[in-house]
Amino acid sequence: MMNVKQSVRYRFMSIAVFLTAFILLSLPLGAIEPTPARAFYNTFNDEQEMVLGRQASMETDKQMLILDQSLLAAYLNDLGQKVAAASRRPKIQYTFKIVNTDVVNAFSLPGGFIYVNRGLLDFVQDESELAGVLAHEVGHVVAYHSMNDVARRYWIDQGMQQLKQAGMLDNQQVVDMLQKYGGPILLFTDRKFSREEESEADMLGLYNVIRAGYDPQGMVLALNRLSNFTGNPSLVETLLMNHPLPAERVQALRLELSQLTLPSGLKRDSYEFKAAKLLLSSLPPPPKPKAQPQQ
Ligand SMILES: [Zn+2]
């Protein structure tokens, strides 16, 4: 039998347990790193994704001017590998390249091929900002965003062909449907990510950059400056088209950060970054952009 004192203590403990559980459960759901998975229709494995990425990368290298400066390429690659190794998908082989154009942009292909424009290297002000941008791009690869899209188009294409073979569609209907839902597969450089994909890449990038040892404020600051960009608007147009909604993204990242306890000693800048910036500014300016090929 419980005496009165024990009964009061028991009731007090129950309330304490209840309150603790209530507080834990009512914490905002933000501060959790997303766990990405392939879409159910994405039946391609890592190896197939890398083969496809390599092909797309060879095409991209033909269409874009890759900056041929070995020290800058090595600097970007070192930083990129550090970020990718701390990502949720560290096993695929990542490749980082610099495109010789003033346009502020970065994009990723399936299989870990990541391109950073020279204009973006000019735009970032310290190494933590660049690490943040790279972590965002790695985030798109980690979450299979482009590869899910390829798989979706592939299965639509397969389905169309089967319907055609079964005599249920004529040639014109196949062409119309492909234009509506499929289209050429290798249009990654113009890929517009959805709002959900953008925020997933941001959140993955945020946790990734912290694990890589960088201050995540750099990512937020770079994104914030982009959303308030007052220079030549055509220089950021492509970036904003590929990666929409910077203002909302800044808010979401700030909220997430407010719920995290950051480890001490996170890095903001490095001598290597400063040296890379100096080297970049000593190079002849990028060639004027050619007219975009018609698609
Ligand atoms: Zn993005």
Side-chain angles (χ1 to χ4, degrees):
M1 283 290 280
M2 255 187 234
N3 62 30
V4 176
K5 238 181 187 175
Q6 277 174 327
S7 157
V8 168
R9 192 187 297 159
Y10 180 75
R11 198 174 296 168
F12 178 76
M13 276 169 62
S14 312
I15 291 169
V17 167
F18 173 78
L19 276 179
T20 311
F22 179 77
I23 290 165
L24 284 175
L25 288 173
S26 57
L27 277 176
L29 285 171
I32 297 170
E33 184 174 9
T35 309
R38 282 184 177 88
F40 70 91
Y41 47 79
N42 180 355
T43 53
F44 296 90
N45 61 31
D46 283 0
E47 207 174 310
Q48 291 167 323
E49 180 178 338
M50 281 189 274
V51 169
L52 188 102
R54 209 166 297 129
Q55 279 175 353
S57 162
M58 278 173 353
E59 281 305 309
T60 306
D61 291 359
K62 278 189 224 155
Q63 285 173 21
M64 309 219 158
L65 279 170
I66 303 301
L67 183 69
D68 186 18
Q69 213 300 328
S70 51
L71 283 175
L72 280 173
Y75 169 71
L76 183 74
N77 187 59
D78 276 3
L79 181 61
Q81 296 302 341
K82 204 196 283 185
V83 168
S87 78
R88 279 271 175 104
R89 207 180 165 197
K91 293 223 169 93
I92 61 166
Q93 196 188 335
Y94 288 82
T95 307
F96 298 85
K97 294 184 183 184
I98 304 170
V99 184
N100 197 10
T101 164
D102 272 341
V103 175
V104 183
N105 195 22
F107 60 91
S108 57
L109 310 181
F113 289 86
I114 290 168
Y115 291 76
V116 178
N117 283 4
R118 182 173 166 181
L120 196 128
L121 294 178
D122 277 330
F123 181 82
V124 288
Q125 292 181 351
D126 64 30
E127 194 165 74
S128 71
E129 291 192 7
L130 181 55
V133 171
L134 293 175
H136 174 91
E137 292 306 324
V138 168
H140 282 303
V141 178
V142 169
Y144 308 94
H145 291 157
S146 295
M147 203 52 216
N148 285 344
D149 196 38
V150 170
R152 186 179 57 83
R153 289 164 191 244
Y154 174 78
W155 287 116
I156 289 171
D157 186 86
Q158 293 290 304
M160 293 293 112
Q161 298 306 335
Q162 277 177 16
L163 286 174
K164 192 186 147 202
Q165 274 164 18
M168 294 168 77
L169 288 174
D170 64 25
N171 281 345
Q172 190 52 48
Q173 282 171 312
V174 172
V175 170
D176 291 348
M177 292 289 266
L178 281 178
Q179 271 178 354
K180 195 169 174 196
Y181 299 108
I185 274 182
L186 298 176
L187 280 179
F188 299 112
T189 53
D190 281 338
R191 168 93 154 85
K192 185 180 188 296
F193 290 109
S194 70
R195 180 191 290 238
E196 290 72 27
E197 287 172 327
E198 276 313 290
S199 57
E200 190 173 35
D202 278 343
M203 289 308 152
L204 288 165
L206 186 80
Y207 286 92
N208 182 351
V209 91
I210 296 169
R211 274 198 300 272
Y214 286 94
D215 187 342
Q217 288 294 349
M219 185 179 180
V220 183
L221 288 174
L223 203 59
N224 192 39
R225 276 210 321 286
L226 273 172
S227 65
N228 299 313
F229 187 77
T230 50
N232 179 353
S234 70
L235 289 183
V236 289
E237 210 175 327
T238 319
L239 181 93
L240 299 184
M241 188 190 78
N242 295 156
H243 307 272
L245 300 162
E248 287 174 28
R249 291 168 53 195
V250 171
Q251 272 180 5
L253 284 169
R254 283 194 174 136
L255 177 68
E256 190 82 3
L257 270 179
S258 70
Q259 295 161 31
L260 294 176
T261 311
L262 296 177
S264 61
L266 292 175
K267 202 167 163 183
R268 269 314 271 274
D269 211 354
S270 74
Y271 289 115
E272 290 84 353
F273 178 84
K274 289 191 170 75
K277 284 287 245 191
L278 212 59
L279 183 55
L280 195 66
S281 63
S282 73
L283 298 178
K288 290 273 165 268
K290 287 185 284 186
Q292 291 291 309
Q294 293 296 308
Q295 276 146 14

